[in-house]
């Protein structure tokens, strides 16, 4: 028999996903000899045997890889046979090439769950059960390549049984790096807030309304029984979290269905290996108290994603509040010492273990849009999976923005976006951010050729980028906020041509020194031209205004009408504000020109009755959206679009909306009419510009497009006009997606 041999190089998500045992079994099945090795590139395989078996091997590898693997490229080269007699798995090597994929954390697989629930299994009830198809990954990795010695599991020496599984190519735990069992792995410990062990039952404590700090995969959670209104209120009070919604963890899908509307696609997303928090429409029949998500018609729901979580539930405990354990605005807490000192006054008990969290990661938050996950926050379960770029670019580091911060590196044809770090004006978040930059930099071994940042002179991220560029002696490239959004949406959809883009959000520093926030662009990565915008209005200077929708509405209505009495009739609570408002309107020192979509939505929310101080970013707009969902389909207000070198959409329709309110129209109808006007006006602008610029493609980005009411109807309307709308697919539409756009623009400067 003539012996052939081949070398196969595979890149993609091929480490930490059971790729080597899979290949081992496949080679044995086909009677091939040779070896496989993890490299910093992915994996390299050598096979020897009959030519037709080698062909079959490659085909099967491509068509049915292991469930968690993702093959990005597979290259085969014919080589000389070396006379191997068997197939084996080689120990990993450290090569100089740095193209690597770190696997994201994976929710418990059905096989492990079965073992966890089986009284006859040696892992019965063991909260850290995992295998090659599930368990912690990114959160425990210290260095490349992904091997047990480079993870925080290195301190646990495997017992003989576990080591046997780990070494046995036929076993599901073959090279499962976090492999553990009750004999050798981490143990669950219940303690008091002072760290002393407590002999009690976790579920009994939850039933008694206690608040527990639970160390999970990428961070600690604060958990309490979601059906216990008193416990939920206590948690809000202790956490000083007024109205920002709490995430929920449901025991199973039935519990989710009881409280939320759930489509099949949503069910798939909820049970996917990433196990994100999914935003679902709350059922009117749900018995959960309004304090979980005050004033909103949605709930953020996830399923258990480690055996430890399954152990928190029983027949009585079916839904838990599971909110990130941090002080409002601070970074996630991951270290035990820190947890005790910072959460001691928030939690009654602690559920901890000795498996160190190396890389913090929040729960990801998504909704289902166009049958795909649409990201609000991208972290655990997705990070640090790379995003394919439209073409290969030089190594670049992009720092993102200051809010909802993430950073990104490019290498080759990919961008790696970091997990979410929160807002950088919080010093501790900034420290965590810098730690993340250091980790990714070392892990990816990339030497950026340039550093990209926002043009905002006051941004902490801009200052960091400037210092970093100096340190590396590479150019600093500044990218306007909304142009970065534009490029991000293009790259997210792998577009590489001139298109239109609509970017709507709260605040971004415009190129003319005013505030931008509702902009239409035409262009590509090389050149982006502003071709449309919301007509600017005067907005009180400073960041404080984002907290006061009532003031924003007063300013807008007063500048439209110059009629105090009428403004007061629309906004009964604004009387004490009016003297300030009158001074502000028309004063260039007290106000700044702005086309911020966020502020327009704030004003509309206030007209609809949401006049309280905003307690979390986007609250007013979210309340407004929730109101709109309760309305039947409605007619828009009349609006006007002014043509010119930059097309301007007038916001004067707020006047008609306010009049509508004075007629006694219900808030939900006002909200729906406002939304519909906004949607129709944007669509009309886009269609006019599409003709002018001869394109039928338009991308959307910016925080405003987290609004489900807007995106669903906007997408439908544009498709009906034969215009193809592109929304974000892999990175959030909010500022967490900025870094990707900065990369693409920097790559083309
Ligand atoms: Zn498993
Ligand atoms: Zn063991």
């Amino acid at each position: 028999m003539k012996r052939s041999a081949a070398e196969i190089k595979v890149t993609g998500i091929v480490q930490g996903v059971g790729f080597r045992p899979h290949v081992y079994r496949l080679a044995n099945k086909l009677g091939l000899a040779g070896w496989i090795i993890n490299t910093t590139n992915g994996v390299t395989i050598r096979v020897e045997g009959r030519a037709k078996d080698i062909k079959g091997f490659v085909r099967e590898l491509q068509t049915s890889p292991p469930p968690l693997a993702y093959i990005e490229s597979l290259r085969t080269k014919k080589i000389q046979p070396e006379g191997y007699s068997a197939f084996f798995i080689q120990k990993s090597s450290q090569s100089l090439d740095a193209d690597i994929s770190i696997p994201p954390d994976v929710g418990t697989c059905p096989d492990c769950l079965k073992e966890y629930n089986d009284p006859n299994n040696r892992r019965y009830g063991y909260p850290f059960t995992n295998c090659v198809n599930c368990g912690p990954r990114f959160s425990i990795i210290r260095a490349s390549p992904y091997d047990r010695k480079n993870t925080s599991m290195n301190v646990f020496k495997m017992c003989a049984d576990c080591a046997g599984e780990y070494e046995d190519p036929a076993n599901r735990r073959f090279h499962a790096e976090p492999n553990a069992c009750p004999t050798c792995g981490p143990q669950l410990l219940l303690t008091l807030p002072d760290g002393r062990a407590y002999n009690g039952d976790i579920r009994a404590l939850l039933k008694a309304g206690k608040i527990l700090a639970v160390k999970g995969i990428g961070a600690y959670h604060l958990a309490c029984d979601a059906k216990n209104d008193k416990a939920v209120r206590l948690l809000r009070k202790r956490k000083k979290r007024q109205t920002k919604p709490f995430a929920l963890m449901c025991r199973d899908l039935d519990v989710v269905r009881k409280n939320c509307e759930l489509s099949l696609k949503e069910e798939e997303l909820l049970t996917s290996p990433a196990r994100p928090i999914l935003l679902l429409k709350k059922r009117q029949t749900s018995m959960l108290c309004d304090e979980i998500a005050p004033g909103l018609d949605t709930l953020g729901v996830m399923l258990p994603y480690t055996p430890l979580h399954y152990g928190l539930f029983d027949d009585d405990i079916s839904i838990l509040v599971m909110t990130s354990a941090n002080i409002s605005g601070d970074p996630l807490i991951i270290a035990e010492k820190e947890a005790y000192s910072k959460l001691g006054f928030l939690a009654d008990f602690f559920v901890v273990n000795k498996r160190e969290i190396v890389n913090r990661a929040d729960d990801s938050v998504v909704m289902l849009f166009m049958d795909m996950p649409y990201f609000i926050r991208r972290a655990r379960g997705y990070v640090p999976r790379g995003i394919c770029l439209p073409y290969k670019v030089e190594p670049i580091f992009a720092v993102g923005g200051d809010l909802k911060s993430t950073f990104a590196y490019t290498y080759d044809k990919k961008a790696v976006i970091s997990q979410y770090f929160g807002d950088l004006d919080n010093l501790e978040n900034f420290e965590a951010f810098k730690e993340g930059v250091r980790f990714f930099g070392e892990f990816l071994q990339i030497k950026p050729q340039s550093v990209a940042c926002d043009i905002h002179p006051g941004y902490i991220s801009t200052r960091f980028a400037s210092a970093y560029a100096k340190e590396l002696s590479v150019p600093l490239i500044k990218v306007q906020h909304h142009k970065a959004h534009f490029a991000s949406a293009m790259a997210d959809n792998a577009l590489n041509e001139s298109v239109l883009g609509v970017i709507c959000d709260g605040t971004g520093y415009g190129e003319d020194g005013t505030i931008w926030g509702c902009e239409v662009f035409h262009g590509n990565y090389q050149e982006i031209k502003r071709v449309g915008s919301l007509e600017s209005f005067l907005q009180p200077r400073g960041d404080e205004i984002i907290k006061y929708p009532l003031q924003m509405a007063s300013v807008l209505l007063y500048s439209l009408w110059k009629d105090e009495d009428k403004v007061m009739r629309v906004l009964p609570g604004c009387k004490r504000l009016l003297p300030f408002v009158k001074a502000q309107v028309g004063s260039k020192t007290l106000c700044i020109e702005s086309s911020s979509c966020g502020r327009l939505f704030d004003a509309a929310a206030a007209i609809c009755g949401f006049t309280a101080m905003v307690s979390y970013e986007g609250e007013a707009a979210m309340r407004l959206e929730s109101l709109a969902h309760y309305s039947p389909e409605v007619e828009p207000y009349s609006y006007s679009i002014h043509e010119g070198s930059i097309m301007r959409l007038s916001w004067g329709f707020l006047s008609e909306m306010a009049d509508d309110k004075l007629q006694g129209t219900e808030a939900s109808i006002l909200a729906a009419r406002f939304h519909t006007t906004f949607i129709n006006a944007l669509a009309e602008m886009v269609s006019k510009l599409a003709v002018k610029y001869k394109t039928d493609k338009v991308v959307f980005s910016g925080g405003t497009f987290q609004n489900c009411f807007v995106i669903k109807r906007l997408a439908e309307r544009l498709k009906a006009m034969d215009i193809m709308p592109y929304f974000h697919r892999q990175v959030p539409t909010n500022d967490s997606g900025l870094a990707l756009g900065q990369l693409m623009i920097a790559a083309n400067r």
Side-chain angles (χ1 to χ4, degrees):
M1 174 193 92
K2 193 175 174 311
R3 230 172 136 79
S4 299
E7 185 184 81
I8 304 159
K9 292 194 169 187
V10 190
T11 65
I13 310 240
V14 290
Q15 292 188 13
V17 291
F19 204 81
R20 289 176 300 174
H22 179 84
V23 164
Y24 177 91
R25 284 191 291 265
L26 186 59
N28 278 322
K29 191 176 92 181
L30 297 168
L32 297 172
W35 47 259
I36 177 169
I37 190 166
N38 269 356
T39 64
T40 39
N41 285 319
V43 297
T44 300
I45 306 164
R46 253 168 194 257
V47 276
E48 295 188 13
R50 290 193 302 186
K52 88 172 200 343
D53 291 329
I54 292 179
K55 246 190 182 159
F57 175 86
V58 173
R59 196 180 332 113
E60 200 165 331
L61 201 56
Q62 279 172 316
T63 52
S64 44
L68 295 174
Y70 168 70
I71 295 181
E72 205 172 82
S73 75
L74 185 150
R75 275 174 303 155
T76 308
K77 194 172 79 184
K78 238 185 129 164
I79 51 166
Q80 280 302 315
E82 289 175 14
Y84 293 107
S85 57
F87 194 90
F88 58 98
I89 293 172
Q90 286 211 38
K91 280 218 175 336
S92 303
S93 71
Q94 184 96 45
S95 93
L96 287 173
D97 202 339
D99 181 319
I100 177 72
S101 289
I102 318 169
D105 300 310
V106 190
T108 308
C109 75
D111 290 331
C112 283
L113 187 59
K114 218 157 101 198
E115 292 177 351
Y116 175 79
N117 287 322
D118 174 7
N120 297 316
N121 192 282
R122 70 187 191 94
R123 288 190 174 83
Y124 175 56
Y126 181 58
F128 305 96
T129 301
N130 67 78
C131 75
V132 86
N133 296 320
C134 74
R137 302 285 189 272
F138 171 67
S139 59
I140 58 166
I141 295 177
R142 282 186 215 286
S144 173
Y146 174 58
D147 256 342
R148 188 172 177 108
K149 66 176 185 337
N150 289 332
T151 71
S152 59
M153 282 301 290
N154 68 336
V155 296
F156 300 97
K157 196 176 172 328
M158 274 188 274
C159 68
D161 286 341
C162 286
E165 295 165 341
Y166 185 88
E167 298 296 338
D168 175 9
N171 195 288
R172 200 174 89 246
R173 296 199 166 85
F174 179 65
H175 281 262
E177 307 302 345
N179 189 23
C181 79
T183 313
C184 65
Q187 301 295 330
L188 199 66
L189 198 63
L190 176 63
T191 81
L192 293 161
D194 60 10
R196 276 181 302 146
Y198 180 80
N199 196 0
D201 178 74
I202 294 173
R203 290 182 296 252
L205 292 172
L206 287 168
K207 267 172 237 177
K210 300 295 178 196
I211 295 170
L212 272 58
V214 181
K215 184 178 181 181
I217 294 284
Y220 279 72
H221 283 116
L222 287 171
C224 74
D225 183 358
K227 287 185 296 189
N228 185 330
D229 301 0
K230 233 173 100 188
V232 175
R233 272 195 292 272
L234 181 66
L235 179 56
R236 273 214 183 276
K237 205 172 134 208
R238 285 195 193 163
K239 229 191 151 191
K240 295 199 179 71
R241 182 153 155 155
Q242 288 167 330
T243 51
K244 194 173 178 187
F246 280 143
L248 298 173
M249 185 177 275
C250 291
R251 186 183 57 207
D252 50 44
L253 283 171
D254 282 342
V255 178
V256 178
R257 276 188 214 105
K258 228 173 124 181
N259 291 282
C260 302
E261 289 171 21
L262 184 70
S263 70
L264 268 176
K265 282 276 175 195
E266 284 169 332
E267 189 178 312
E268 253 171 51
L269 187 49
L270 207 53
T271 53
S272 67
R275 303 279 163 89
I277 294 174
L278 180 60
L279 298 182
L280 292 170
K281 198 161 171 59
K282 184 181 174 180
R283 278 192 198 280
Q284 307 241 312
T285 51
S286 167
M287 300 297 279
L288 293 171
C289 64
D290 190 52
E291 251 105 28
I292 288 169
L296 302 182
D297 66 333
T298 52
L299 290 173
V301 176
M302 61 185 148
L303 291 173
Y305 54 84
T306 127
L308 191 159
H309 291 154
Y310 286 99
L312 301 175
F313 296 95
D314 62 15
D315 289 348
D316 299 321
I317 303 268
S318 58
I319 312 186
L320 293 172
V321 165
M322 285 287 257
T323 181
S324 333
N326 55 354
I327 323 284
S328 272
D330 274 7
L332 298 176
I333 287 166
I334 54 172
E336 230 157 87
K337 233 174 86 186
E338 196 192 358
Y340 283 119
S341 74
K342 288 201 163 164
L343 303 176
F345 65 98
L346 295 178
D348 302 309
F349 295 92
F350 282 67
V351 180
V352 296
N353 68 77
K354 295 271 179 241
R355 185 175 70 198
E356 189 194 334
I357 299 170
V358 179
N359 298 302
R360 65 194 78 215
D362 273 281
D363 295 315
S364 293
V365 182
V366 302
M367 57 181 164
L368 189 82
F369 175 48
M370 290 169 142
D371 282 345
M372 301 257 289
Y374 188 63
F375 287 89
I376 306 297
R377 181 165 75 201
R378 185 176 181 271
R380 179 190 52 76
Y382 297 97
V383 168
R385 188 170 294 160
I387 287 165
C388 288
L389 299 175
Y391 47 82
K392 184 174 170 165
V393 300
E394 60 172 21
I396 302 169
F397 170 75
V399 77
D402 269 18
L403 302 178
K404 299 187 164 52
S405 160
T406 68
F407 58 82
Y409 282 98
T410 51
Y411 64 86
D412 217 25
K413 248 194 94 174
K414 260 206 273 188
V416 172
I417 320 272
S418 76
Q419 71 271 44
Y420 164 96
F421 286 99
D423 300 345
L424 296 186
D425 59 355
N426 175 306
L427 188 67
E428 293 188 28
N429 282 350
F430 186 44
E431 289 303 320
F433 174 89
K434 286 194 283 190
E435 207 177 287
V437 172
R438 189 197 50 75
F439 168 79
F440 274 91
E442 278 174 20
F443 199 98
L444 300 167
Q445 297 172 32
I446 285 174
K447 289 188 186 60
Q449 300 302 300
S450 58
V451 172
C453 66
D454 202 271
I455 60 169
H456 198 308
Y459 266 9
I460 294 159
S461 56
T462 302
R463 291 201 293 272
F464 173 79
S466 164
Y468 193 46
K470 228 175 241 161
E471 186 189 317
L472 296 169
S473 302
V474 298
L476 178 70
I477 296 169
K478 295 189 175 181
V479 181
Q480 197 278 328
H481 190 93
H482 301 97
K483 291 185 174 177
H485 269 301
F486 176 81
S488 175
M490 274 184 70
D492 205 350
N493 287 285
L495 289 169
N496 188 21
E497 59 185 279
S498 287
V499 297
L500 285 170
V502 181
I503 316 302
C504 294
D505 66 2
T507 306
Y509 195 79
E511 279 167 351
D512 53 6
T514 70
I515 291 175
W516 290 7
C518 182
E519 316 303 323
V520 189
F521 296 106
H522 176 255
N524 47 49
Y525 303 116
Q526 289 82 29
E527 203 186 354
I528 302 168
K529 208 175 123 198
R530 189 184 186 212
V531 295
S533 176
L534 181 68
E535 202 163 69
S536 62
F537 46 76
L538 288 177
Q539 161 182 332
R541 282 184 189 271
D543 291 338
E544 282 295 292
I545 187 64
I546 64 171
K547 291 189 193 150
Y548 300 100
L550 179 61
Q551 190 184 358
M552 199 57 234
S554 312
V555 167
L556 290 184
L557 292 183
Y558 187 78
S559 48
L560 278 173
W561 297 334
K562 304 283 187 312
D563 179 343
E564 278 176 66
D565 289 341
K566 194 173 173 192
V567 174
M568 268 194 290
R569 271 189 289 136
V570 178
L571 305 165
C574 77
K575 190 172 177 194
R576 61 182 178 84
L577 288 175
L578 272 177
F580 304 103
V581 167
K582 277 171 69 181
Q584 280 165 339
V585 172
S587 159
K588 291 252 168 181
T589 42
L590 296 175
C591 281
I592 182 166
E593 261 187 59
S594 163
S595 51
S596 163
C597 198
R599 299 298 77 72
L600 183 70
F601 273 68
D602 284 355
I607 293 172
C608 289
F610 181 75
T611 53
M613 189 179 122
V614 163
S615 88
Y616 59 92
E617 202 236 322
E619 182 178 14
M622 283 166 74
R623 298 270 191 141
L624 185 68
E625 182 195 344
S626 288
L627 272 177
H629 284 296
Y630 291 115
S631 160
E633 288 299 317
V634 290
E635 286 300 309
Y637 298 117
S638 49
Y639 57 85
S640 53
I641 294 169
H642 309 295
E643 312 246 3
S645 61
I646 294 180
M647 197 177 273
R648 305 275 182 182
L649 166 64
S650 163
W651 49 273
F653 59 85
L654 271 196
S655 177
E656 196 187 334
M657 181 185 181
D659 285 335
D660 199 10
K661 181 183 181 179
L662 291 177
Q663 310 271 316
T665 304
E666 239 176 87
S668 67
I669 295 192
L670 296 176
R673 291 192 75 185
F674 170 82
H675 274 87
T676 309
T677 314
F678 178 74
I679 292 159
N680 292 9
L682 277 191
E684 190 178 325
M685 264 175 103
V686 166
S687 72
K688 286 184 172 176
L689 290 164
V691 174
K692 186 168 171 186
Y693 290 97
K694 299 185 179 61
T695 175
D696 59 356
K697 296 189 172 78
V698 55
V699 298
F700 291 89
S701 187
T704 300
F705 298 114
Q706 293 173 122
N707 184 318
C708 188
F709 191 101
V710 169
I711 54 178
K712 286 196 172 147
R713 286 167 176 79
L714 194 53
E716 278 165 23
R717 201 168 172 85
L718 287 166
K719 281 184 196 158
M721 294 167 146
D722 284 326
I723 293 170
M724 187 59 199
Y726 293 88
F727 291 86
H728 279 279
R729 304 278 59 161
Q730 304 162 87
V731 300
T733 192
N734 57 43
D735 283 6
S736 290
L738 276 182
L740 176 62
Q742 291 173 350
L743 285 181
M744 289 310 290
I745 292 179
N748 285 284
R749 283 264 173 94

